[in-house]
Amino acid sequence: DGCFESESGETQINPHASPSLARVTLANLGFLCLQRLMQNMDAEGCLQPSTPFEDLVSSCQMTLNILIDDLNQACNEAHQRMKDWPPMEFQEDESIFISGYFDGKFDLPSNWYFPLRDLQRKVFQIFQQLLDKESFGMFVEKLSQDLSQPMWHNILTALDNGEISACFANAVSLFVNCELSVESNEETYLYLPLQKMSEIIERAGHFVAPSISEPVLVENPSYLYQTAALIEEKENSQSSGVNVKQTVTSEKNANKRKPSTHVVEPETPNDERVKRIRPSLPLHETEEQRRSKEFTAFLEALL
């Protein structure tokens, strides 16, 4: 298409060509982004009936914030590059719009490229009821009354079973298909180049599955095993020594308590035995004994 130029992988508006514009409401564009998010989450296996509603809301809020940033950028770009389009000759009687620009049914305002005001408030005002767990059930239950009986039954069954994430994804698809619609006091229409709108939907609906950290296996140094082995060996040897000591002590105590019956106590010698073992006196006195007796007798005579 001649109205687009590609720079660094992003589409830029070419002011020298007639833009192929899309007319879409802010609510519908938001639901298109959320639907793309649901599809990407499902492809990554992260959209399950048991998916916590808080995780789903967090991803949706991120998608809507990207949508707001990209819309502001696209509107500023269009205001700078396309402010002279359409030319004045296409406007009838200084009209503020080009009649029947979209398939002869809808008009194109002459200020279609003006930046949107208060965009963030408008976006979250539309989607706030969907992003609150308490109000979500009542919101969907109220709107689903206009659905066919099978669709209405499926949504209420999912709500009753606590499958809020699955119910949310179904509700988003119903909004995209215009089977449900959001009631709003102010309808905000966007006029965007078709390819630019597609890029915004893809960017806002992008989803990266959270990484699950794998356990890190750390090999312990060999000296730790050696130290542990030495400690264990020392403990075993000490335990073995204590057991041996206790065994020996027990045996000694047992021997003390129970003397052997084979031990013969020594007999106390009687008087007769003592007499027998005494050496017999000599029959003849020695010369020294004789002189000692004489000296003793001499002393007794003097006294």
Side-chain angles (χ1 to χ4, degrees):
D1 200 340
C3 66
F4 299 105
E5 293 177 350
S6 179
E7 296 180 7
S8 303
E10 294 187 0
T11 300
Q12 305 291 329
I13 298 176
N14 183 356
H16 304 293
S18 300
S20 298
L21 297 179
R23 177 180 181 268
V24 61
T25 64
L26 180 59
N28 286 343
L29 181 59
F31 280 116
L32 286 170
C33 294
L34 292 180
Q35 184 187 49
R36 190 64 181 136
L37 172 67
M38 300 295 106
Q39 293 170 348
N40 289 332
M41 291 182 66
D42 185 52
E44 293 289 343
C46 296
L47 187 62
Q48 304 292 335
S50 58
T51 300
F53 187 74
E54 292 76 12
D55 295 349
L56 186 62
V57 167
S58 177
S59 298
C60 290
Q61 288 176 338
M62 186 178 300
T63 291
L64 294 177
N65 282 320
I66 294 175
L67 168 64
I68 293 170
D69 292 340
D70 283 4
L71 278 179
N72 282 324
Q73 181 180 350
C75 290
N76 290 332
E77 180 186 345
H79 185 262
Q80 294 174 5
R81 292 175 175 252
M82 303 299 298
K83 60 183 179 180
D84 295 329
W85 194 95
M88 292 297 295
E89 57 266 25
F90 286 93
Q91 302 183 26
E92 299 177 0
D93 300 328
E94 298 182 357
S95 176
I96 61 173
F97 58 85
I98 300 177
S99 178
Y101 182 85
F102 297 98
D103 298 330
K105 298 179 180 179
F106 302 102
D107 302 332
L108 174 66
S110 57
N111 62 348
W112 65 271
Y113 50 82
F114 276 25
L116 297 175
R117 297 180 180 178
D118 206 8
L119 185 57
Q120 185 168 5
R121 180 192 63 81
K122 291 178 180 180
V123 168
F124 282 98
Q125 186 177 24
I126 295 171
F127 296 97
Q128 186 59 42
Q129 296 182 78
L130 284 173
L131 301 180
D132 183 77
K133 188 174 183 179
E134 295 181 358
S135 63
F136 171 75
M138 295 184 292
F139 176 70
V140 173
E141 186 174 355
K142 177 183 176 181
L143 294 179
S144 62
Q145 294 177 1
D146 298 331
L147 296 174
S148 64
Q149 185 67 23
M151 290 183 179
W152 178 79
H153 181 267
N154 290 338
I155 286 184
L156 294 187
T157 300
L159 284 176
D160 293 339
N161 294 336
E163 299 174 354
I164 301 181
S165 298
C167 183
F168 185 94
N170 290 333
V172 168
S173 296
L174 292 173
F175 280 109
V176 170
N177 297 331
C178 298
E179 297 179 70
L180 290 177
S181 59
V182 177
E183 298 177 358
S184 177
N185 295 329
E186 53 178 338
E187 193 85 77
T188 302
Y189 280 92
L190 305 172
Y191 303 93
L192 296 169
L194 286 173
Q195 188 170 343
K196 193 69 174 179
M197 187 178 71
S198 298
E199 290 178 358
I200 292 175
I201 293 173
E202 290 299 321
R203 271 181 48 82
H206 182 66
F207 177 77
V208 178
S211 59
I212 302 176
S213 59
E214 299 181 357
V216 180
L217 301 178
V218 179
E219 184 177 357
N220 293 328
S222 59
Y223 67 83
L224 292 179
Y225 294 108
Q226 296 175 357
T227 304
L230 291 175
I231 294 175
E232 184 178 357
E233 183 180 354
K234 183 177 181 181
E235 291 177 352
N236 292 337
S237 63
Q238 290 178 350
S239 176
S240 176
V242 171
N243 292 336
V244 171
K245 185 176 182 180
Q246 290 177 349
T247 303
V248 174
T249 304
S250 299
E251 291 179 355
K252 288 184 178 180
N253 292 335
N255 292 335
K256 288 182 180 180
R257 289 193 298 268
K258 297 180 181 181
S260 175
T261 55
H262 299 287
V263 177
V264 179
E265 296 183 358
E267 296 180 357
T268 304
N270 51 27
D271 295 341
E272 294 181 357
R273 178 69 181 267
V274 171
K275 290 181 180 179
R276 283 198 299 269
I277 64 176
R278 287 178 181 173
S280 56
L281 294 176
L283 297 178
H284 300 285
E285 296 180 356
T286 61
E287 184 66 21
E288 184 177 355
Q289 288 175 341
R290 184 179 60 77
R291 290 181 179 179
S292 176
K293 285 183 177 181
E294 290 178 355
F295 181 73
T296 302
F298 174 74
L299 291 177
E300 290 178 350
L302 292 176
L303 295 175

